[in-house]
C-alpha cells in the first residue's frame, strides 16, 4: 500500500482485538471495508462509518414568515419528524423542529436517513409566538380576547397557575398541544391542574382573566 493510502482506526482481530490500531483501507463496499493492520499486516473485513455528508434544503417557518437555508449532516444519520436540531447560517443560529421530511415531489415520510432527504420543513422553536385566548371572569362581561405572546421556546405553561405579561394577567385553564409535539404529552388537549407544556409545544393557551382592569362590553 502507498503511504498516501486512506487509513482508519480499527481493532485488529490478530494483534489488538481490544483496541484500535491504524489500518490501511484496501477496498470498500456494502458498508464494510477490507483493511490491513499496519502493526502486524493482518488483512480482514471491518465495518466503517460513512463519512459522506449531504446538505439538504431546510425551510424554516418563524412567526408567519419563512426562509430557506441548508444543513450539513452525515448521509447515514437517522432523521425523523418532530426532532430538533441547531441550524447555523451566516445570518442566524437557531433551534428548529422538523415538521415534515420531503424525499421527493409530493412524497413525505416521518423517518429516514439524511441522504434520502430533499427538504426539511421546520419551524423555529428557540423563540416562539404563543396564542392565548383569555375569557373574562364570571360577571365581568361576555367577551373574550386573544393575546399573542413572544416567548422563549422553553418557557413553561402549567394549568392552574397564574401568569402576568405586562398588563395582562390570567390563570391557565387549558392548553392545546401542537400536532408535532403530541407524542410528548398524554393528550393533545390538556386540562388537568399541574399539566405543564413548553411554549414551543403550544398551539393555544386558554385562560381566565385575572387582571385588575375592568372588562368593557364593546
Amino acid at each position: 500500500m502507498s503511504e498516501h493510502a486512506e487509513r482508519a482506526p480499527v481493532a485488529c482481530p490478530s494483534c489488538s482485538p481490544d483496541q484500535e490500531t491504524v489500518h490501511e483501507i484496501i477496498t470498500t463496499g456494502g458498508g464494510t471495508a477490507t483493511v490491513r493492520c499496519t502493526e502486524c499486516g493482518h488483512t480482514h473485513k471491518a465495518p466503517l462509518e460513512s463519512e459522506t455528508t449531504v446538505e439538504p434544503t431546510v425551510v424554516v417557518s418563524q412567526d408567519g414568515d419563512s426562509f430557506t437555508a441548508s444543513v450539513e449532516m452525515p448521509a447515514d444519520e437517522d432523521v425523523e419528524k418532530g426532532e430538533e436540531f441547531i441550524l447555523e447560517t451566516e445570518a442566524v443560529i437557531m433551534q428548529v423542529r422538523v415538521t415534515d421530511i420531503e424525499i421527493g415531489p409530493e412524497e413525505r415520510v416521518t423517518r429516514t436517513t439524511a441522504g434520502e432527504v430533499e427538504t426539511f420543513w421546520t419551524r423555529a422553536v428557540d423563540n416562539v409566538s404563543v396564542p392565548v385566548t383569555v375569557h373574562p371572569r364570571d360577571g365581568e362581561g361576555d367577551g373574550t380576547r386573544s393575546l399573542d405572546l413572544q416567548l422563549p421556546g422553553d418557557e413553561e405553561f402549567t394549568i392552574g397557575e397564574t401568569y402576568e405579561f405586562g398588563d395582562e394577567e390570567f390563570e391557565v385553564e387549558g392548553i392545546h398541544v401542537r400536532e408535532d409535539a403530541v407524542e410528548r404529552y398524554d393528550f393533545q388537549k390538556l386540562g388537568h391542574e399541574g399539566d405543564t407544556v413548553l411554549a414551543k409545544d403550544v398551539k393555544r393557551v386558554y385562560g381566565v382573566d385575572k387582571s385588575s382592569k375592568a372588562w368593557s362590553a364593546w
Side-chain angles (χ1 to χ4, degrees):
M1 292 286 291
S2 163
E3 64 178 17
H4 299 295
E6 188 176 355
R7 299 187 174 200
V10 178
C12 176
S14 178
C15 72
S16 59
D18 297 324
Q19 65 181 32
E20 295 175 336
T21 61
V22 176
H23 281 62
E24 295 176 334
I25 299 175
I26 301 172
T27 61
T28 59
T32 61
T34 299
V35 295
R36 178 184 292 120
C37 177
T38 59
E39 296 292 330
C40 70
H42 180 71
T43 299
H44 59 101
K45 295 279 190 181
L48 290 180
E49 293 185 5
S50 170
E51 296 183 357
T52 303
T53 60
V54 291
E55 291 190 39
T57 298
V58 181
V59 178
V60 182
S61 173
Q62 184 178 38
D63 295 335
D65 296 323
S66 64
F67 67 90
T68 301
S70 63
V71 61
E72 183 177 348
M73 58 179 56
D76 57 1
E77 181 174 331
D78 292 329
V79 295
E80 65 179 299
K81 183 176 177 179
E83 71 178 13
E84 298 177 5
F85 61 86
I86 301 297
L87 176 66
E88 183 172 352
T89 70
E90 292 184 359
V92 298
I93 298 177
M94 63 170 56
Q95 188 164 346
V96 299
R97 176 179 295 168
V98 178
T99 56
D100 259 317
I101 300 172
E102 185 174 315
I103 61 173
E106 304 299 323
E107 187 176 2
R108 301 193 178 193
V109 297
T110 58
R111 184 181 294 105
T112 187
T113 55
E116 299 295 320
V117 178
E118 287 191 2
T119 304
F120 285 113
W121 296 85
T122 71
R123 66 181 178 90
V125 293
D126 44 5
N127 291 287
V128 296
S129 175
V130 178
V132 181
T133 296
V134 179
H135 302 283
R137 287 176 289 190
D138 292 341
E140 296 190 6
D142 57 359
T144 61
R145 58 175 164 176
S146 294
L147 311 176
D148 190 14
L149 305 177
Q150 303 297 317
L151 301 170
D154 290 332
E155 186 93 5
E156 292 183 340
F157 284 96
T158 301
I159 293 175
E161 291 193 4
T162 298
Y163 295 84
E164 186 174 353
F165 298 96
D167 294 333
E168 303 289 350
E169 187 175 359
F170 59 88
E171 178 184 329
V172 176
E173 62 176 1
I175 302 173
H176 195 181
V177 178
R178 298 183 66 102
E179 289 184 6
D180 61 28
V182 170
E183 292 183 356
R184 296 176 173 83
Y185 302 92
D186 293 334
F187 304 98
Q188 188 164 12
K189 294 182 179 180
L190 301 174
H192 291 95
E193 186 167 347
D195 286 345
T196 298
V197 179
L198 296 175
K200 63 186 177 182
D201 296 335
V202 170
K203 185 174 184 179
R204 182 170 291 274
V205 170
Y206 297 90
V208 178
D209 179 50
K210 293 291 185 179
S211 61
S212 58
K213 62 185 179 182
W215 281 85
S216 301
W218 293 92

